Amino acid sequence: MEHIRRVLSVIVLNEDGVLSRISGLFAGRGYNIDSLTVAPIPKTNLSRLTIVTSGNAPVLEQIVKQLHKLIPTYKVIESGQFVEKELALVKIPLNEDFNGLDAMLKAYNGTIASSGEEFIVVMVADDYDRIDNFLKAVKKYNPTDIVRSGSVALDM
Amino acid sequence: MELSGSQMVIEALRKENVSVVFGYPGGAIMNVYDEVYKQNHFKHILTRHEQAAIHAADGYARASGEVGVAFVTSGPGFTNAVTGLATAYMDSIPMVVISGQVPISMIGTDAFQEIDAVGISRPCVKHNYLVKDVKDLPRILKEAFYIARSGRPGPVHVDIPKDVTAQIGHFAYPAEIKMQTYKPTYKGNPRQIKKAIEAIVASKRPVLYIGGGAINSNAAEEVREFAKICGIPAVETLMARGVMGHENPLLLGMLGMHGCYSANMAMSEADLMIAFGSRFDDRVTGKLSEFAKHAKIIHIDIDPSSIGKIVPIDYPIVGDLKNVIEAMIPLAKEHVEADRYKPWRDLLNRYNEIHPLKYEDSNEVIKPQWAIERVGELLGDKALICTDVGQHQMWSAQFYPFSYPRQWLTSGGLGTMGYGLPAALGAKVAMPEKTVINFTGDGSILMNIQELMTAVESQIPVINVILNNQFLGMVRQWQTFFYDKRYSSTDLTMQPDFVKLVESFGGRGFRVKSKEEFDKALEEAVASNTVCMIDVNVDRFENVLPMVPAGGTLYNMMLEYKE
């Protein structure tokens, strides 16, 4: 069966141990987590998790049902209509030739987030597949560190 | 009302009408036990091991339909309880288990008897709580009982740090439960119900596949009525024994790995399967690609994640089984003609005549199946039947004449050896007027043997019938069939004198080598009003048959074993 990538937006009660319930569910039942982000929803007692997972159709259906089954789960949103963005930070030594970097950052909604005596840190926020592309392209500046945030998504 | 955390626990149990708690004290839960001492709302039964406390609460819950309650302490007290929690979780048994925990300030310091209890219990309970503030305790206890008994039932674990049990807080037990995120579905979708009835009307070879959900939902009466109106033959899972009643002409028997031929053939040849609160366990389905491959499937279950988990479902209905069948019955009366399925019923009855459940009786040695049938003849519906796990469990499921739901208590999903004796204690406490029999094996009984002491001390007269073949019989059977008779670690010839053993605890023991001795021992045991152990020497090499080997197909059963 076809392996499908799926973004799930899960609204849960913001209480002790809720993240371990979710991550334990995925680990215990052998589901994939490609990325997971979590933050409280302002002015509520809820948190939003954005989980990127993958599996065949029956597995994805079961993931959604199992998430629903957890007592602190309020809502599981699996609509295809998501605005999905990911952020990446890239640390580049100052002794590199930055020719063309500006244009590249512009193309990927990027900016220079910080600069120090030996390094600059650039930041891009874009679709996850475009982040893939950016990270390939940025290699020519010999980055020393790369960190990706995992996807955040909002349903339309 | 201002109360300490410990007093709140007692008050909450009173509000929940809890009449008995099973447990074992220890450092972190001493404050609670101090309040247990002072109260007289419920009885506390001291077991001799925490695992047994949980199984006893489980047995109480299965026999009564009420929430079972147990107390254990932190650390090893709690880890001993885990097998009991997992057993109850797999079989959807409502329980509230309260454990002590080290004081909040010490959590995370590797304190004496500290363990991350909620971290351990998370995958084997329906829900759990670590109480961090006494002001949350009344709400948490209320939610725990509500979650345990509502929806698909299950065990709920509440871990209370010692300082929280001492803190004083305001106690107002919530009258109503309001949970933002947990709302089980009870009513079936009427459109889906209508479609299901249409599918039944269109079918020629329908079969009811009844699971433990029928018992949890207290739906046996409705299931029987529905089956009768429609004239649809029924099969029961291990967990559902007793739902239809053994005298019901529509009941074919148990299905699955050790199910009867007609039940498994019914599944294999059906064109419509109606699953009532069953979960398509691998011990039921055999090889999935061959399982009921001619059948469309209606699946009614209160747990949406059970539907479509193992096999695709054509007509899913989420809801409480009793509720859904009640809605189906008037439609069935109007549209379904029971006569239509007569040729199908006749065919299945013929299958049953060709290959009935059978064993070869002997006058030389007691056959284990005979002992079970004999108890059935002598006690019938007067007895509740508990088991441990293994051959004796399957023979009990096959050969005991079950008449009603909650007559049969067994660890189905997890298959926990050592379940039988403590569960029997819980069952007897719930149903004191019944004779409680624990069919057990010479392997299983030793796994919670210390509970003989509980039975004697708390005067809970249960009867343990050891079908003693001096083997870990089920594993031995697999070794015979599939491992060229290499009996690796299954010979249990080395064993205690069970008669002296039970007598040393203060109970009564009987050694039985003949049918006459068996009858006499059982009669005396029933009359004795004390915990009894009947050690029955049975045929060592008897096998549980028929059998669908793991991963085999239901329509290709091993009906006999030939050397």
Side-chain angles (χ1 to χ4, degrees), chain A residues 12-13 15-17 20-21 24-25 29 45-46 58 61-62 65-66 68-74, chain B residues 89 122 126-130 132 139 147 152 179-183 303-310:
Chain A
V12 297
L13 288 181
E15 60 181 24
D16 281 355
S20 76
R21 288 183 206 283
L25 166 64
R29 292 188 183 264
N45 59 345
L46 302 170
E61 184 187 325
Q62 201 43 221
K65 285 178 168 176
Q66 292 291 343
H68 266 296
K69 193 170 164 178
L70 294 175
I71 306 286
T73 302
Y74 180 63
Chain B
Y89 185 50
R122 186 186 44 71
K126 184 172 174 184
H127 195 48
N128 62 14
Y129 295 90
L130 170 60
K132 286 197 164 166
R139 173 188 57 83
I147 290 170
R152 178 179 179 174
M179 293 186 68
Q180 194 179 357
T181 59
Y182 172 72
K183 294 180 184 86
D303 176 5
S305 76
S306 274
I307 298 179
K309 183 177 68 175
I310 308 293

Side-chain angles (χ1 to χ4, degrees), chain B residues 102-146:
Chain B
V102 301
I104 289 173
S105 59
M106 294 173 79
I107 288 180
T109 64
D110 301 322
F112 177 66
Q113 294 194 329
E114 181 191 355
I115 197 73
D116 174 10
V118 287
I120 290 174
S121 71
R122 186 186 44 71
C124 45
V125 294
K126 184 172 174 184
H127 195 48
N128 62 14
Y129 295 90
L130 170 60
V131 185
K132 286 197 164 166
D133 191 323
V134 73
K135 77 173 176 8
D136 298 328
L137 192 51
R139 173 188 57 83
I140 285 174
L141 290 169
K142 177 82 184 177
E143 286 183 5
F145 277 90
Y146 173 68

